[in-house]
Amino acid sequence: FFYCTNHSGMGDSFNVGGTGTVQLQTRSGFEIQNLTSDPVPYAQALADNPYAGTWAAGANINAARSGLSGFGTNTASFVVGGDAQPGDGGAHTTLVESYNGSSWSETTEFSTGRSQLGSLGSTTAGLLFGGQTPSVTGSTQTWNGSAWTEVNELNTARSYMINASNGTQTAGMTSTGYSGTAGIYNVESWNGSSWTEKTEPNTSVYLRATGGAAPNTDTILFGGGYPRTANAETWNGSSWTEVNNLNTARADMGGSGTSSTSVVGFGGRDGTSPPGSVLTEQWDGSSWTEVANQGVATIFYFASTGGSSTSALKVGGSTVNPPTSDYANNTEEWAFS
């Protein structure tokens, strides 16, 4: 029996035949099992339990820090920069750590210590940009698998971009930010050599999260703001369209996804005390559904990586507000099936 995951009651069946057919298929290399009952299809299982999915503890990063950024997949990720633990000097760091799915190891550092920077790409073709040095910068650097190289800067220097950028080293986008004195709401697109200003979102807030693998034509922005917003908007390559809101308004969220119709958003600050949220919400292109909570509620300024709504990482961050101590080194892994 097979079922449509989008439309209730849509499906059909096929029959593998009688005993003779089963024996023939088994001899031909097809494993056939007789079932006494119809297994619950995926769409029905999800309807029965919308809290499907799990967060599990992963390996700790080597240096606890807040304001770090991340990119890559759940088994091949980088986390870059951030603020060192006050006991370790509290400075903006140049640290880069890579994840192989089971452990973190330090790799080639970039040139100038930064926190709240943007990043995107893969562990062999990455891009990092902006952030605080401690002044706000537009500096952009590419990663080729072995070294960092300075390239053309952002048109508008900005910080507070962690989890607000996505794409590849030749097709990326960063959204909103902070100038050091005020919010920045414009969007910039990267084509592999330079940044270009794009249409602003309809809602002028920063501290937003994003998801989508094709940022120039297919991405989504959500959350952010003072006060917190639940606003979500999709980008089609030329304009922004407001879509259904998050269930819970939050800023400084993490996000991971493959397109504007398949995204997971998690964590952030929801305005309560303490302001750290454990909520996770799944976006299917039309609505947000609350799924399994995180195990650890770091308040904000954590890195998210993954590139998929079914697998993602949440790394580091701050466990107190204001973020003056108790920086986290934990990793949580999201799996949805």
Side-chain angles (χ1 to χ4, degrees):
F1 297 85
F2 51 94
Y3 299 83
C4 178
T5 59
N6 292 319
H7 303 93
S8 177
M10 181 182 290
D12 208 333
S13 65
F14 62 88
N15 196 320
V16 297
T19 302
T21 306
V22 170
Q23 290 174 347
L24 173 63
Q25 289 180 333
T26 300
R27 287 195 298 269
S28 301
F30 295 93
E31 186 68 24
I32 303 297
Q33 294 180 338
N34 293 317
L35 300 179
T36 58
S37 63
D38 178 25
V40 177
Y42 169 78
Q44 186 60 54
L46 179 59
D48 292 342
N49 179 20
Y51 288 87
T54 57
W55 285 96
N60 290 345
I61 53 176
N62 294 286
R65 54 198 192 272
S66 174
L68 69 173
S69 187
F71 58 92
T73 69
N74 64 320
T75 57
S77 290
F78 272 11
V79 290
V80 296
D83 295 318
Q85 191 88 315
D88 297 328
H92 301 303
T93 74
T94 57
L95 287 175
V96 179
E97 295 192 43
S98 66
Y99 191 58
N100 62 8
S102 60
S103 63
W104 291 94
S105 59
E106 293 190 16
T107 187
T108 307
E109 297 184 11
F110 55 94
S111 58
T112 304
R114 286 183 262 176
S115 69
Q116 303 294 345
L117 66 164
S119 61
L120 53 84
S122 70
T123 54
T124 57
L127 191 75
L128 59 84
F129 39 89
Q132 292 185 243
T133 64
S135 59
V136 175
T137 180
S139 172
T140 302
Q141 292 176 286
T142 59
W143 169 255
N144 64 4
S146 61
W148 297 96
T149 303
E150 288 279 347
V151 291
N152 286 322
E153 294 191 358
L154 288 159
N155 292 289
T156 305
R158 65 187 79 192
S159 63
Y160 290 85
M161 291 186 294
I162 55 176
N163 308 327
S165 308
N166 64 309
T168 68
Q169 196 184 66
T170 56
M173 178 182 284
T174 187
S175 308
T176 70
Y178 187 68
S179 68
T181 57
I184 296 173
Y185 312 123
N186 71 310
V187 171
E188 295 196 42
S189 175
W190 173 257
N191 65 4
S193 61
S194 61
W195 293 97
T196 302
E197 298 269 352
K198 295 291 184 181
T199 306
E200 290 187 11
N202 297 293
T203 300
S204 297
V205 297
Y206 65 107
L207 303 177
R208 308 200 79 173
T210 188
N216 289 333
T217 58
D218 188 20
T219 195
I220 184 171
L221 277 178
F222 48 93
Y226 290 106
R228 312 295 177 230
T229 181
N231 173 266
E233 300 185 40
T234 57
W235 169 254
N236 65 4
S238 60
S239 62
W240 293 94
T241 301
E242 295 202 18
V243 293
N244 284 327
N245 287 352
L246 291 158
N247 292 288
T248 302
R250 285 170 283 162
D252 294 308
M253 295 176 65
S256 180
T258 54
S259 70
S260 63
T261 60
S262 181
V263 168
V264 62
F266 45 89
R269 291 186 284 176
D270 58 14
T272 62
S273 183
S277 174
V278 297
L279 291 176
T280 303
E281 297 193 38
Q282 195 102 5
W283 169 254
D284 64 3
S286 61
S287 62
W288 295 92
T289 301
E290 289 192 13
V291 289
N293 287 346
Q294 300 164 85
V296 178
T298 47
I299 292 178
F300 54 135
Y301 298 165
F302 58 86
S304 65
T305 76
S308 164
S309 62
T310 59
S311 58
L313 301 179
K314 172 175 170 282
V315 187
S318 178
T319 58
V320 296
N321 188 25
T324 55
S325 63
D326 293 332
Y327 294 167
N329 66 353
N330 69 297
T331 298
E332 286 196 76
E333 300 179 348
W334 167 250
F336 186 91
S337 62

